[in-house]
Amino acid sequence: KIDLQQCEDGLLYELSNATGDILENVTLIENLENTKKKAQQINKSMAAAKKTTATIAKNRLTYSPVAERGSLLFFQIDQLAKIDHMYQFSLEAFEVVFNKALKKAKQADTVDERVANIMDSITETIFAFTSRGLFEKHKLIFSTLLCL
């Protein structure tokens, strides 16, 4: 858009400063042709950018259940501190475990299967990580929280 605006400004400047017959002004006609070509290129680029943006948005929405599950799991383990003050889990530690779960998730043929595999992997990995640090009497509470 900036390039297009600059081309238009340059063209308007040439038109305002043109003397004599503008049809015989070679510089002005060349500038007009260049502006026209650039405008076509910019419009093609803008159309491609819109298409790419739509594709990215669609793909992002496909993985939103994974993000929802991840945030739910983090806030579940964060709330464990209300049960016992010893249960303090940092976001950084959660990210490490979350990323390991992403790498550990099984590959799949379809995106929906992949999303389901990632969600299962995240849940299992976070459960195993968190359960290691819980007292036995609190493991059932945590398991119940994950099932809700």
Side-chain angles (χ1 to χ4, degrees):
K1 287 185 177 183
I2 293 172
D3 287 343
L4 186 59
Q5 185 64 39
Q6 288 173 349
C7 289
E8 288 175 357
D9 290 343
L11 185 61
L12 288 173
Y13 178 77
E14 289 285 334
L15 281 172
S16 66
N17 292 330
T19 56
D21 188 14
I22 59 172
L23 296 176
E24 293 177 5
N25 189 339
V26 177
T27 308
L28 179 63
I29 293 173
E30 287 175 355
N31 193 2
L32 180 61
E33 287 297 322
N34 289 337
T35 301
K36 184 178 174 182
K37 287 178 186 176
K38 217 170 218 183
Q40 289 173 348
Q41 290 173 349
I42 290 171
N43 287 335
K44 286 180 185 177
S45 297
M46 292 291 284
K50 284 182 182 180
K51 187 175 179 180
T52 303
T53 302
T55 303
I56 290 171
K58 181 183 172 190
N59 290 338
R60 187 189 72 225
L61 289 176
T62 304
Y63 287 95
S64 64
V66 175
E68 289 173 15
R69 174 66 59 92
S71 64
L72 175 73
L73 291 172
F74 174 73
F75 288 113
Q76 291 291 354
I77 65 172
D78 188 52
Q79 295 299 312
L80 290 174
K82 292 182 179 179
I83 296 173
D84 193 309
H85 71 282
M86 289 182 58
Y87 302 143
Q88 300 285 328
F89 296 95
S90 70
L91 179 59
E92 186 177 336
F94 179 82
E95 285 178 355
V96 169
V97 175
F98 186 87
N99 288 330
K100 284 182 183 178
L102 288 176
K103 291 176 185 171
K104 191 172 86 171
K106 295 177 185 173
Q107 297 295 324
D109 295 330
T110 65
V111 175
D112 292 334
E113 289 177 17
R114 177 71 175 149
V115 168
N117 290 346
I118 290 172
M119 289 176 57
D120 290 343
S121 176
I122 290 169
T123 304
E124 292 170 8
T125 306
I126 295 295
F127 176 76
F129 168 76
T130 307
S131 293
R132 273 188 236 134
L134 297 179
F135 294 123
E136 285 298 321
K137 62 183 179 180
H138 296 140
K139 287 183 182 181
L140 183 59
I141 295 171
F142 180 60
S143 298
T144 305
L145 286 173
L146 290 182
C147 293
L148 296 178

